[in-house]
Amino acid sequence: MITTNNLSLQFGKRVLYKDVNLKFTPGNCYGIIGANGAGKSTFLKLLSGELEPTGGTVEVTPGERLAVLKQDHYAYDQYQVLRTVMMGHPRLVEIMDEKDALYAKPDFSEADGMKASELEAEFAEMNGWDAESDAAKLLNGLGIPDDKHTMMMSELTVKEKVRVLLAQALFGNPDILLLDEPTNHLDVVSINWLEDFLADFPNTVIVVSHDRHFLNQVCTYICDVDFGEIRLYAGNYDFWYQSSQLALQLQKEQNKKAEEKIKELQNFIARFAANAAKSKQATSRKKLLDKIKVEDIKPSSRRYPYIAFTPDREAGDQLLTVDGISKNVDGEQVLKNVSFTLKKGDKVAFVGPNTLGKTMLFKILMGEEEPDTGSFKWGVTTTQAYLPSDNAAYFDDVDLNLVDWLRQYSKDPDETFVRGFLGRMLFTGEESQKKANVLSGGERVRCMLSRMMLSGANVLLLDEPTNHLDLESITALNNGLIAFPGTALFASHDHQFVQTIANRIIDITPDGVVDRVTTYDEFLANETVQQQIAAKYQGAED
C-alpha cells in the first residue's frame, strides 16, 4: 500500500497541489488524469521518491517493492535485453551476481558455501529459477521476439527500448507499479496484452495515460489532478466523465427538484455498474460502483473545448474514387494498388502499422503529393478540410497573433467572430494574442481544428488528430466527429476514438487494402484479421 499525507508541491509561487491525502490499495488500478501541465507525471515522481515534496510525506508499506516505468531510453545500452528486464527486480539480480561471483572463486571456502546456501534459499523464494523464462514471456507479450532477447539494448530502436523498459517495470510481480504513458509506442496487439496483464494484476497499479480505452479497461479508480487538488473517484474514465458531466448539467438546472436529480443520478450509477465487464478489475469496479452514493458524484471543474463541424452544403452521392494508387518513398513502397470508393456518410478509419503510407495517402488526396501510378477523383459537390500529422508549415515561420492567424482562414474577418472561434478552443482573453510560432503541440492542433471548423467542408481528413491533445480535447474532438453529418477519413492509434467514430475500417497492407464495413472492435475480433495483425505487428515499427 502507498499513501500520501498532506502532500504538497510548489514551484516558486505556483502551487501544483496542496494537502493531498490519498490511499492506494492492492487489487486496484488508479488512473491519473488532468490537463496538460497539471502535474500528472510529477505526481508519479513524488510517489516514486524521485522528487521531494515541499510539504507532507509519501509512505510505502515496509517490505513492499515499488517498480517504475523508466523514461531514459539509453540508461541500459550496455546490458543485454533479457538482463535489462530482470533488473526491474534489483535484489534478484544482486543475488544472481553474488552467486556467480562466489561459484567462480578458485578458493571456495566453507564460509562461501554457507553464504551461497543462504543466497540460493533467498533466490528460490523469489522464484529466481523462473526469472529468465518470466522475463522472456513479458518481452514476447510486448512484441519483442526471442531472437532479440540476447541482443544489447544499444542495438534496439527507441520504440523497442520502450517496450523492454515496460517489461522491466512489470517483471517480478512488484507490490506497487507506477506507469507513465505505458501505451506509447505499443501496437494494438501489445496494448491488448498489457490490458489483460493489468486486469489480472493482484497488486497496486498507478498509471498516467491519455488512452481512454486503456483507462476504461484497467482502472477501478480515477484520480483527477485539477486546481491544486487530486480527487479520487470510483470507476473508470467513462464513468468519471459521464457522471461529472451529468452532475454539472443537473447543477445548472436549478429549477429541477432535488428528488428528480437524485433519481437521475441513481439511475445513471445503476446503469453503468450493470455494464461493467473485464476480468478482476471489472469485478472490483462493479463493487465500487454499487457502493457509490449520489453525493459522491460531483461536477468537474475542467474546461472542454467546443468542437463542432458544420458543412456549408450537403455532398452528393459521388464523393471519392481511388483507383490503384501506388507510391514509393526513398526506394520503399508505402502504397501499393490502393483502391476504394467513398460513400456518403462514411466515416473511415485507416489502421495498421504503415504510418507513412497513411500519411502519404492523405497528402495525395489533398494534392500535396503525386502518386507514382493510379488516380483519384473527388465528387464535384465535395469540399475538403485537412488536419496533417505535421503542422509545422502553418506555424513555424508565421509572425502573427492567434486572432490574425485564424482570420486568414475565415470568410468573416470581423475580430469578434474570429475571437468567438478561438474562445471555443479555450483561447480567451490575452491567450488570443499569443504568437502562432510559440504555441505548444496541443495548442497548434486546437488552432488547426478551429481552421477546419471555419472551412464549412463536408469531407474531413484527419491524420493522427489526437497527437499532442489532452484528454479533454480528445473527448471534445471525439464527440464532434460523432456528431458531424458529413464524411470523414482519419488515421488514429486511439482505440476508443476509432471505435466510436468509424463505421468502416481500411487497413493499408503491403499488397493493397483490407476494406470492411464494420466497427473497430468487430474488425479486431475477426479471427483472420487477428492472425494477420499478430503476424505483421510482431516487431513492427508503429
Side-chain angles (χ1 to χ4, degrees), residues 41-42 63 96 135 140 153 162 176 215 301 352 402 442 453 463 532:
S41 297
T42 301
M96 292 168 64
N140 289 331
M153 285 288 285
V162 169
I176 301 163
L215 292 173
S301 56
L402 292 192
M453 286 191 284
D463 190 3
Q532 292 172 348

Side-chain angles (χ1 to χ4, degrees), residues 87-357:
M87 288 172 75
H89 196 328
R91 178 54 185 159
L92 178 66
V93 173
E94 184 182 349
I95 291 172
M96 292 168 64
D97 290 344
E98 282 189 57
K99 287 200 309 166
D100 290 344
L102 279 173
Y103 293 138
K105 288 179 69 173
D107 54 344
F108 190 81
S109 66
E110 184 177 343
D112 291 332
M114 293 289 290
K115 179 63 175 176
S117 178
E118 293 172 5
L119 291 172
E120 290 288 6
E122 189 176 354
F123 186 68
E125 284 179 11
M126 293 180 175
N127 206 28
W129 296 111
D130 294 327
E132 287 197 8
S133 61
D134 289 345
K137 287 177 185 176
L138 290 171
L139 289 168
N140 289 331
L142 291 167
I144 304 295
D146 289 340
D147 61 357
K148 294 193 176 183
H149 294 184
T150 55
M151 291 173 62
M152 302 299 291
M153 285 288 285
S154 58
E155 299 177 78
L156 302 186
T157 66
V158 169
K159 293 180 181 180
E160 289 170 333
K161 289 179 180 180
V162 169
R163 299 179 185 212
V164 175
L165 293 179
L166 178 55
Q168 181 193 75
L170 302 178
F171 177 74
N173 195 37
D175 299 291
I176 301 163
L177 183 57
L178 306 182
L179 302 173
D180 192 356
E181 296 292 355
T183 60
N184 281 359
H185 303 299
L186 296 188
D187 56 58
V188 64
V189 175
S190 298
I191 291 174
N192 288 341
W193 179 89
L194 180 60
E195 288 172 354
D196 290 337
F197 180 93
L198 293 179
D200 290 323
F201 189 70
N203 301 328
T204 305
V205 182
I206 305 173
V207 58
V208 170
S209 178
H210 284 86
D211 187 326
R212 295 166 301 158
H213 181 268
F214 179 76
L215 292 173
N216 283 331
Q217 293 296 91
V218 303
C219 289
T220 53
Y221 285 94
I222 293 295
C223 296
D224 185 23
V225 183
D226 193 13
F227 291 102
E229 298 180 334
I230 304 179
R231 293 183 178 178
L232 188 65
Y233 299 89
N236 60 12
Y237 177 78
D238 273 355
F239 182 82
W240 170 83
Y241 172 71
Q242 293 180 33
S243 62
S244 65
Q245 292 299 298
L246 176 60
L248 183 62
Q249 175 189 337
L250 295 177
Q251 187 183 67
K252 290 178 179 177
E253 297 172 3
Q254 297 295 336
N255 58 338
K256 267 202 172 188
K257 294 180 181 178
E259 295 82 1
E260 291 178 357
K261 294 182 180 181
I262 291 171
K263 186 176 181 181
E264 194 163 348
L265 284 168
Q266 286 174 334
N267 290 338
F268 170 79
I269 294 168
R271 185 171 67 252
F272 212 101
N275 290 335
K278 182 83 173 176
S279 194
K280 291 181 181 177
Q281 297 293 39
T283 304
S284 300
R285 191 159 55 229
K286 187 179 186 308
K287 289 178 182 177
L288 293 169
L289 295 179
D290 285 337
K291 294 177 183 177
I292 287 181
K293 298 176 183 178
V294 169
E295 54 268 26
D296 294 333
I297 293 183
K298 294 178 172 58
S300 172
S301 56
R302 301 271 275 284
R303 298 166 65 212
Y304 290 77
Y306 176 76
I307 299 177
F309 303 100
T310 305
D312 290 339
R313 61 178 292 186
E314 185 178 352
D317 293 331
Q318 303 298 318
L319 272 83
L320 172 67
T321 301
V322 176
D323 185 16
I325 284 182
S326 296
K327 180 72 174 180
N328 279 37
V329 177
D330 297 329
E332 178 187 354
Q333 186 162 47
V334 297
L335 296 171
K336 182 179 179 181
N337 195 32
V338 174
S339 300
F340 61 90
T341 300
L342 199 62
K343 302 181 185 68
K344 189 176 179 180
D346 275 347
K347 291 182 179 176
V348 185
F350 291 83
V351 301
N354 187 0
T355 302
L356 182 55

